[in-house]
Amino acid sequence: MISLLFAGCSRGSTSTPVAALAPVEPAATATPELAHDFILPTLSGESVTLSEQRGRWVLLNFWATWCPPCVQEMPYLNQLASERDMVVWGVNFNEPVDTAAAFVEKHGITFPILTELDDITALVYKVRGLPITHVIAPDGAVAKTVIGQIDPVAFEAWLDEHEVPRRQ
């Protein structure tokens, strides 16, 4: 089996020289895949649905209270929620609701915190480590993913480049 994998790469190959091959047409741009839809409860008990935010920028930040980089970026996420015209949701990673609620109160978090993360949503959003942040564009496609703590300078530049509006 392995010999079959390398058969086309041997020096003795009699393949056509690269210069003799016909030019390759660029592939058509793929249509972006829509972000996985979900319905999750907030700490306040209401339910939110991602697809209901279509037409708006949405930031999903998967986090936990025991994760130092998650805790460190919370003030910046609070700032984004107040300064940018985008939905900011913190998705708590499977901690008891009272643990997340106490953290939110202690740290003055103002954006909604979602709870009861299901396995399918965690899998689809590739939550293998924390924090991980996904930005969903108004068309519903995942526009950016940040694995690890957000670098505010680079992230602000990206938001400006993609014309994510500031609040008036």
Side-chain angles (χ1 to χ4, degrees), residues 105-127:
E105 186 168 331
K106 177 181 177 183
H107 294 277
I109 306 303
T110 58
F111 56 90
I113 300 298
L114 312 185
T115 62
E116 300 178 27
L117 177 63
D118 61 275
D119 292 341
I120 297 296
T121 302
L123 180 67
V124 170
Y125 284 100
K126 300 177 174 97
V127 183

Side-chain angles (χ1 to χ4, degrees), residues 28-115:
T29 304
T31 303
E33 188 174 327
L34 293 181
H36 168 74
D37 195 20
F38 58 79
I39 300 171
L40 291 174
T42 66
L43 286 176
S44 62
E46 61 187 297
S47 291
V48 296
T49 305
L50 179 61
S51 60
E52 289 178 356
Q53 301 305 315
R54 186 68 58 85
R56 301 187 68 192
W57 287 94
V58 177
L59 181 144
L60 300 175
N61 175 261
F62 294 86
W63 70 284
T65 61
W66 48 261
C67 164
C70 300
V71 173
Q72 291 171 358
E73 72 183 1
M74 282 294 171
Y76 176 63
L77 295 175
N78 240 1
Q79 177 185 334
L80 278 177
S82 66
E83 293 179 358
R84 293 284 181 162
D85 189 16
M86 67 188 312
V87 175
V88 176
W89 286 338
V91 184
N92 183 261
F93 189 72
N94 297 333
E95 293 182 289
V97 170
D98 59 339
T99 300
F103 177 90
V104 165
E105 186 168 331
K106 177 181 177 183
H107 294 277
I109 306 303
T110 58
F111 56 90
I113 300 298
L114 312 185
T115 62

